[in-house]
Amino acid sequence: MFWEISRAVLQYSRRSCCLKRHYSFLPDDVKSLRSVVNPDVSKIRNIGIMAHIDAGKTTTTERMLYYSGYTRALGDVDDGDTVTDFMAQERERGITIQSAAVTFDWKGHRINLIDTPGHVDFTLEVERALRVLDGAVAVFDASAGVEAQTLTVWRQAEKHHVPCVCFLNKMDKPAANLSFSMESIRQKLKANPVLLQIPIGRGKNFSGVVDLLTNQRLTWKMNEREDDGRVFVAKPLSDVKEPELVEEVRQARTALIEQVADLDDDFAELLLTDFGDNFDAVPSIKLQEALRRITLARKGVPVLCGSSLRNKGVQPLLDAITAFLPAPDERPHDLVRWYKDDLCALAFKVLHDKQRGPLVFLRIYSGTLKAQTALHNINRNSTERMSRLLVPFADQHVEITSMTAGNIALTVGLKQTVTGDTIVSSKASAAAAARQAHKEGKTSKGHGQQTSVVLSGVEVPDPVFFCTIEPPTMAKQADLENALNNLQREDPSLKVRLDPDSGQTILCGMGELHIEIIHDRIQREYGIETHLGPLQVAYRETILHEASASDTLDRTIGERRHVVTVELLVQPGEDLSQVAFAEEAAGTLSDSVKEAVENGAHSLYLQGPLLGYPVQGVSTLIQSVNTEPGTSPAMVSACVSRCMLKALRLAGGQLMEPVMSLEVTVEEEYLGTVLGDLAQRRGTVRDIQSRHDNKVLLASVPLAETRGYSTILRTLTSGKATFSLELDTYEAMSTQDQNVLLKRTAGLL
Ligand code: GDP
């Protein structure tokens, strides 16, 4: 028997006072979790919510938890007391960074809501979350339509073939615009929106929706201050005495049926044979089944309307999640076949708890996860014991003994697991799965058998910003290292390295905010007041033309003489820097010499000749390597590095800088000021669009010029602008800019 609840609720140490208020009742409600002791996999929905910042993701999540019965008070993002944003700095900043998972039940379904962060600095977290969920809800501000960050996340969802449902939130705003939002989904997301509801009343008078599938009018009370929206009235349209609304609905339903028939052949056939033109007679269940097929095939996206803040339209959204989004077994994965009934799970989130140590969130793809068993981590090639198994409920956890495929689990005791690792029951089970994969010819060349049976990790892009980090005293250095180790296990996009020259610790991150948050967390969670050095841009180096060089290294160490001569050619090449051997050289060199040559080349690629940044877009052709007997591989590497340095210097060094794509939404009166400021930042305007009373400015701007942009923009526009920044590309710097940078780095400016 799974899902046995062996203990009541455990409290997670980070929980804050305001959260206690919400959860003091939880032990009673644990009963309702017990009511679905072993959820049938077809009743599980692993979903995420994606949205642009401020579209209402947090508010909508809160309402879902409230209507499903898991919270008894409505949280308010504006007061900073919501369930999902439970980390202190998230509340302060009003943004969601942690992908925490929340489990709740809705009408006999188990919904695991995986929180996806909205800020572009955290797209990696979004990407990781998207890999473990089966469906997504895209929340839009109905007055703004599709905004930049949604576009980014949507593209990622597309990449992972995640079926989506859209929720047009904020229908209570005077500027809310249904047709504009539908058009924007069509144009910007290149998606096919299928409207399932007609909003009733505009702006402040928005009171509910007509469900086009069931032909029912759903209305909520208008005095939302006293009303939590839990109760709403469903009335058949035939009883509604508003001819205009009835006509509007009739037309919209006809359009819906025609659209569904266009997208789904089975439905088209049914329509033709059984109903002809009599659209009124089409049963809602047939429409629903067709819409489910359409959504799963990503041929269209159901669109619903509502206002989370005003407590309207959230219950139908929950219905839509269960009706249209897939169950885990509807998203087949090779791994399920390879592991059969053996356990295979992905660690998609690691959090550090002061009392319990690391808490690892797992998505189970196959088999059963049992508490107090040993688990094998394929990525680390290590076996460790998981002590306890919990159901994640925001920052509350219910202990259970085992959990089946399709579910999201929270484990205690896995000390080595890093975000992105694949967990199985034993080494033997991984080997058996590898054999099965091999039989099917699915083992990818060059990756070995093991890697094919792990869940492919999320690609971690190189960080764009870095800075030094120092503890207040040397005595705290060990604590700082521990904190940074923990944070890196939680967040693989954070990189930490030691500067070999200065011995300082360097923090590398995906953006200014990312580094700021890490700094905050070290202070709050680990009690260490660290000092950050100035934020620096991670440049790249490349070359302008080809050049060849030769070098000889002749060194006697002790009794031994090492002599090696290298000839090579460097050329501008693909993005990724590579090493190749000329035919003559390839034939004569031993494997150990080749390896030493490659090591020498790669160490130079890591630290270019201009300013020590990684070298990109260079291919090196090794023309000859001659060694005298007794020469060590380390000397060969050293000679290759030195020779490459020579060649790269001759080849005209060029610095490349990260260039961001910037989107600023601003009131028209401030547009001129924002443009003027952008010109001073070496920005290039790509487009200026109108969105209601606002202007949307699309531009490219070098990352180096974006430091402190949020504060400056707020000052320039009296807080009337929002912006998003995303890494676009690396571009060669102009000679003038490059010279300024080189002089500044050398301390000459
Ligand atoms: P998130 O950044 O996407 O998580 O958005 P939040 O849920 O934090 O909401 C952002 C802001 O929009 C807050 O001030 C909310 O009160 C407000 N908001 C959320 N939903 C609605 C809505 O339906 N109507 C209106 N008018 N405001 C809303």
Side-chain angles (χ1 to χ4, degrees):
M1 178 69 73
F2 307 123
W3 290 92
E4 276 175 311
I5 299 157
S6 55
R7 272 189 52 188
V9 175
L10 295 163
Q11 290 177 350
Y12 184 44
S13 71
R14 282 198 194 117
R15 98 184 204 175
S16 65
C17 320
C18 51
L19 287 171
K20 276 183 193 144
R21 213 176 56 223
H22 288 310
Y23 295 130
S24 50
F25 63 91
L26 240 166
D28 300 342
D29 276 18
V30 166
K31 287 187 201 116
S32 63
L33 257 178
R34 194 180 276 142
S35 69
V36 185
V37 174
N38 184 9
D40 176 3
V41 72
S42 68
K43 301 280 186 204
I44 301 175
R45 298 289 179 273
N46 292 317
I47 61 150
I49 299 189
M50 48 194 195
H52 190 89
I53 277 180
D54 270 1
K57 187 174 80 173
T58 313
T59 312
T60 307
T61 308
E62 280 300 298
R63 279 13 179 206
M64 287 179 175
L65 291 176
Y66 180 70
Y67 297 132
S68 69
Y70 273 98
T71 46
R72 285 204 181 147
L74 281 175
D76 189 338
V77 281
D78 301 319
D79 293 342
D81 62 347
T82 65
V83 179
T84 42
D85 282 2
F86 58 84
M87 289 183 65
Q89 68 268 57
E90 290 190 359
R91 283 198 304 278
E92 275 173 17
R93 286 163 204 270
I95 56 167
T96 311
I97 300 148
Q98 290 289 346
S99 311
V102 188
T103 296
F104 61 92
D105 292 341
W106 179 252
K107 297 189 181 168
H109 287 77
R110 163 82 21 107
I111 298 182
N112 293 312
L113 188 65
I114 297 153
D115 191 22
T116 47
H119 198 280
V120 280
D121 276 9
F122 308 101
T123 42
L124 201 71
E125 293 223 21
V126 180
E127 176 106 354
R128 198 176 303 117
L130 282 172
R131 287 166 32 79
V132 295
L133 46 83
D134 302 309
V137 176
V139 174
F140 300 95
D141 175 340
S143 69
V146 177
E147 295 170 271
Q149 282 153 25
T150 319
L151 195 64
T152 314
V153 185
W154 189 273
R155 271 192 236 121
Q156 288 168 315
E158 234 165 20
K159 193 171 109 192
H160 295 287
H161 309 289
V162 174
C164 296
V165 167
C166 293
F167 183 59
L168 302 179
N169 188 33
K170 306 201 182 184
M171 288 305 292
D172 60 299
K173 278 172 73 169
N177 189 328
L178 177 68
S179 51
F180 162 78
S181 298
M182 292 286 284
E183 195 51 30
S184 130
I185 292 173
R186 220 170 274 131
Q187 295 294 333
K188 294 197 175 165
L189 301 181
K190 309 277 178 252
N192 196 357
V194 185
L195 187 65
L196 304 191
Q197 296 173 336
I198 294 288
I200 307 171
R202 292 177 67 92
K204 269 191 171 157
N205 296 323
F206 172 67
S207 61
V209 295
V210 177
D211 181 333
L212 296 176
L213 262 63
T214 58
N215 257 338
Q216 280 192 323
R217 188 185 72 173
L218 314 177
T219 42
W220 281 259
K221 271 195 197 140
M222 285 306 287
N223 189 355
E224 66 276 344
R225 277 192 186 286
E226 286 143 38
D227 194 82
D228 60 7
R230 196 185 279 271
V231 178
F232 59 94
V233 181
K235 195 170 181 182
L237 204 65
S238 47
D239 296 350
V240 173
K241 307 268 176 294
E242 291 164 61
E244 267 179 37
L245 180 69
V246 173
E247 179 52 24
E248 189 187 351
V249 171
R250 200 190 57 76
Q251 286 181 15
R253 192 169 195 267
T254 303
L256 169 69
I257 290 174
E258 285 171 352
Q259 192 182 5
V260 171
D262 275 348
L263 295 171
D264 186 80
D265 290 347
D266 287 356
F267 182 78
E269 204 178 309
L270 177 91
L271 197 63
L272 211 64
T273 49
D274 291 7
F275 302 103
D277 288 341
N278 187 9
F279 285 5
D280 285 346
V282 176
S284 63
I285 185 71
K286 291 291 170 201
L287 257 173
Q288 183 176 319
E289 284 166 2
L291 266 164
R292 180 157 224 271
R293 289 191 294 269
I294 291 169
T295 314
L296 297 200
R298 286 189 59 95
K299 288 185 189 161
V301 273
V303 178
L304 294 97
C305 318
S307 164
S308 299
L309 187 66
R310 307 288 171 221
N311 306 326
K312 296 179 179 72
V314 177
Q315 295 94 332
L317 176 63
L318 282 163
D319 291 342
I321 289 169
T322 58
F324 304 122
L325 293 180
D329 59 350
E330 288 173 294
R331 307 243 313 141
H333 199 292
D334 281 347
L335 290 159
V336 175
R337 217 170 47 250
W338 299 337
Y339 281 93
K340 301 206 177 72
D341 292 333
D342 270 0
L343 173 73
C344 179
L346 176 75
F348 67 94
K349 185 89 206 165
V350 177
L351 295 174
H352 280 86
D353 178 65
K354 285 206 185 73
Q355 273 94 45
R356 275 181 218 104
L359 302 173
V360 179
F361 284 83
L362 295 177
R363 156 82 199 253
I364 309 173
Y365 285 88
S366 67
T368 302
L369 184 66
K370 295 193 181 94
Q372 300 190 2
T373 46
L375 296 173
H376 180 68
N377 182 326
I378 302 189
N379 305 66
R380 320 268 130 228
N381 192 20
S382 67
T383 299
E384 50 180 341
R385 198 176 160 77
M386 187 248 296
S387 55
R388 285 145 75 192
L389 186 55
L390 312 166
V391 179
F393 175 62
D395 61 346
Q396 302 279 323
H397 309 306
V398 182
E399 190 159 351
I400 54 169
T401 54
S402 63
M403 203 177 234
T404 45
N407 283 295
I408 303 291
L410 179 50
T411 63
V412 184
L414 296 178
K415 298 209 162 50
Q416 292 167 30
T417 306
V418 174
T419 301
D421 286 354
T422 301
I423 305 293
V424 297
S425 57
S426 67
K427 219 172 170 168
S429 144
R435 278 196 297 278
Q436 183 60 34
H438 193 58
K439 240 194 245 167
E440 293 180 21
K442 287 285 175 75
T443 337
S444 54
K445 222 174 136 194
H447 286 273
Q449 287 204 355
Q450 289 279 293
T451 42
S452 71
V453 290
V454 302
L455 293 141
S456 54
V458 175
E459 277 169 45
V460 182
D462 287 334
V464 288
F465 266 133
F466 65 94
C467 65
T468 55
I469 180 165
E470 280 170 19
T473 61
M474 279 320 284
K476 287 268 181 192
Q477 178 69 26
D479 291 348
L480 176 61
E481 276 168 24
N482 172 48
L484 289 172
N485 278 342
N486 285 352
L487 290 167
Q488 275 185 285
R489 284 185 56 202
E490 293 182 15
D491 171 7
S493 66
L494 169 72
K495 300 258 165 70
V496 179
R497 60 181 170 85
L498 267 187
D499 185 320
D501 300 327
S502 65
Q504 283 176 306
T505 308
I506 315 279
L507 209 57
C508 313
M510 305 305 296
E512 202 170 359
L513 182 61
H514 188 201
I515 289 189
E516 226 178 273
I517 298 270
I518 296 294
H519 185 216
D520 266 18
R521 289 188 60 188
I522 293 172
Q523 186 189 344
R524 275 168 207 282
E525 295 168 29
Y526 297 90
I528 313 170
E529 286 281 351
T530 52
H531 173 73
L532 292 188
L535 209 53
Q536 297 181 55
V537 174
Y539 293 95
R540 300 267 171 88
E541 300 186 13
T542 191
I543 51 173
L544 293 172
H545 38 82
E546 68 172 49
S548 47
S550 67
D551 203 351
T552 301
L553 189 141
D554 184 345
R555 198 172 290 167
T556 307
I557 300 173
E559 300 282 285
R560 199 159 146 192
R561 187 165 172 225
H562 305 262
V563 185
V564 50
T565 303
V566 174
E567 276 183 339
L568 53 79
L569 172 77
V570 292
Q571 292 168 300
E574 302 286 311
D575 261 5
L576 215 65
S577 288
Q578 286 164 340
V579 189
F581 291 87
E583 240 174 71
E584 317 79 82
T588 54
L589 299 178
S590 69
D591 283 352
S592 66
V593 171
K594 277 188 193 160
E595 198 184 323
V597 169
E598 279 170 357
N599 287 342
H602 287 299
S603 74
L604 201 89
Y605 281 156
L606 289 177
Q607 279 203 312
L610 284 174
L611 287 174
Y613 290 108
V615 176
Q616 161 177 325
V618 172
S619 65
T620 302
L621 186 71
I622 307 293
Q623 289 161 320
S624 73
V625 181
N626 291 309
T627 53
E628 288 198 5
T631 304
S632 76
M635 289 300 160
V636 175
S637 300
C639 184
V640 170
S641 291
R642 215 168 68 175
C643 188
M644 271 180 71
L645 191 64
K646 242 188 195 175
L648 290 177
R649 287 205 170 119
L650 289 171
Q654 169 70 55
L655 281 171
M656 316 262 291
E657 64 176 339
V659 175
M660 313 298 282
S661 81
L662 169 72
E663 182 179 313
V664 185
T665 307
V666 60
E667 286 186 8
E668 191 159 5
E669 61 176 302
Y670 294 104
L671 181 66
T673 324
V674 173
L675 282 171
D677 172 67
L678 205 59
Q680 291 179 2
R681 296 173 183 274
R682 298 190 282 134
T684 319
V685 176
R686 288 201 307 262
D687 198 8
I688 299 174
Q689 300 168 351
S690 296
R691 189 179 291 158
H692 305 298
D693 301 336
N694 288 332
K695 290 288 172 194
V696 180
L697 175 67
L698 304 171
S700 298
V701 58
L703 175 73
E705 307 290 341
T706 63
R707 271 174 276 208
Y709 192 60
S710 60
T711 317
I712 289 162
L713 190 67
R714 201 177 312 128
T715 316
L716 286 179
T717 63
S718 311
K720 294 282 168 46
T722 55
F723 78 103
S724 70
L725 265 178
E726 192 186 348
L727 178 65
D728 185 13
T729 178
Y730 274 80
E731 269 178 18
M733 293 180 81
S734 70
T735 318
Q736 194 192 356
D737 291 339
Q738 176 164 325
N739 286 338
V740 170
L741 181 67
L742 289 172
K743 280 189 186 150
R744 195 182 298 141
T745 318
L748 300 175
L749 279 183

